Amino acid sequence: MSATPTPHFAKCLLALCFFLCYSLSAVAQVEPDTVKRKPTLPAGPPGSPQPAPAQVKPKPQAQPKPPVTQPEVVKPQDEQEEEEPQEFIDKLYFGGSFGLQFGSYTNITLLPIIGYRVTDKFSVGTGIVYHFISDGGVSLHNYGGRAFTQLEVVNIGDGALLAHAEVEALSRQYLRVYPNYTYDKLRKTLVMPMFGVGYRQRISEKASFDLLLLYNMNDDPVNPYSNPVIRAGINLPFRR
């Protein structure tokens, strides 16, 4: 004989069915999307690395370069002086020599010069020559001019050894004496090249004293100079 289910059993079965349906519905709501979604495969050939996302690097700020300083080169004092431009008058100098002799025989010699320093060692110049001679009441006058060059060959102490060359043109006045003791005053122009050496003693930066020993190459009988010709003179700058 079959058993007929009781109303209490039917209620229990109905409640169990309702609980199962509610549980399945809650599980379906909390299940993640990745369980049902098909995963996306990476594109490209297998084994190829995926490009990393580009990173924007900040641009480095340009740093100001420090100023480049050149080392100062200190030149010797001699080179600094050579580089300093000099005016024309700074290279000019004047001076010369003179001689005085008084008595029954009087001789006055004037030899003024003006020179120009081409370099510190080499100079050129010109000058005037004048002689006054008085002997026995007879007076003679010689006058002319000269041009010269000088070179400081080697320094010696506070001075220098000089090489000197010049040409002197002189209007020479002389006497022609006759047997009856009369005379005539005659005049003749002489050109006298002179060469020699000397010594220059420096007095200051631009002033100096010169002593020259020259040889006169003109052997004319009325030549007023006898060899060797000795001359001494001083050189002074126009502007200190």
Side-chain angles (χ1 to χ4, degrees):
M1 178 169 114
S2 60
T4 303
T6 64
H8 180 72
F9 177 80
K11 290 179 180 181
C12 292
L13 182 61
L14 180 62
L16 179 61
C17 292
F18 179 79
F19 177 79
L20 292 177
C21 292
Y22 179 79
S23 299
L24 291 176
S25 175
V27 171
Q29 291 178 3
V30 299
E31 184 180 2
D33 186 60
T34 56
V35 176
K36 295 180 179 181
R37 184 183 300 174
K38 185 178 181 180
T40 305
L41 297 178
S48 60
Q50 294 299 319
Q55 297 181 359
V56 179
K57 296 182 178 180
K59 295 183 179 180
Q61 297 182 356
Q63 298 294 332
K65 296 183 178 180
V68 179
T69 57
Q70 297 294 336
E72 182 179 359
V73 179
V74 180
K75 296 184 178 180
Q77 185 176 359
D78 294 342
E79 295 183 7
Q80 293 178 358
E81 292 178 356
E82 290 180 358
E83 293 179 357
E84 293 180 359
Q86 293 184 349
E87 297 182 7
F88 178 79
I89 193 172
D90 293 329
K91 296 184 177 182
L92 288 176
Y93 64 93
F94 68 97
S97 60
F98 65 93
L100 298 175
Q101 180 179 350
F102 298 100
S104 58
Y105 177 83
T106 301
N107 187 351
I108 300 175
T109 301
L110 300 177
L111 299 170
I113 64 165
I114 181 171
Y116 177 79
R117 292 184 177 87
V118 181
T119 66
D120 290 340
K121 300 292 184 180
F122 179 70
S123 61
V124 296
T126 186
I128 298 173
V129 181
Y130 176 74
H131 302 288
F132 172 76
I133 300 172
S134 178
D135 185 13
V138 179
S139 299
L140 302 175
H141 301 270
N142 303 330
Y143 49 84
R146 61 188 180 120
F148 66 89
T149 62
Q150 283 184 338
L151 176 65
E152 294 185 8
V153 180
V154 61
N155 291 332
I156 301 176
D158 293 333
L161 179 66
L162 295 178
H164 182 97
E166 70 174 69
V167 175
E168 180 177 314
L170 184 67
S171 177
R172 164 71 163 156
Q173 190 175 37
Y174 63 97
L175 297 178
R176 175 180 290 175
V177 182
Y178 298 102
N180 58 357
Y181 299 103
T182 59
Y183 61 86
D184 290 332
K185 289 184 179 180
L186 304 178
R187 185 170 293 277
K188 185 178 183 178
T189 300
L190 302 174
V191 177
M192 296 172 287
M194 300 186 192
F195 302 92
V197 296
Y199 176 75
R200 170 168 292 165
Q201 177 64 47
R202 297 185 181 93
I203 303 174
S204 66
E205 183 179 356
K206 295 182 179 181
S208 61
F209 175 81
D210 293 350
L211 180 62
L212 302 175
L213 184 65
L214 307 177
Y215 179 79
N216 182 8
M217 300 185 67
N218 191 319
D219 57 356
D220 194 288
V222 298
N223 188 337
Y225 304 117
S226 59
N227 286 316
V229 180
I230 300 175
R231 285 180 176 172
I234 191 170
N235 305 315
L236 299 173
F238 273 90
R239 184 165 65 181
R240 296 173 184 262

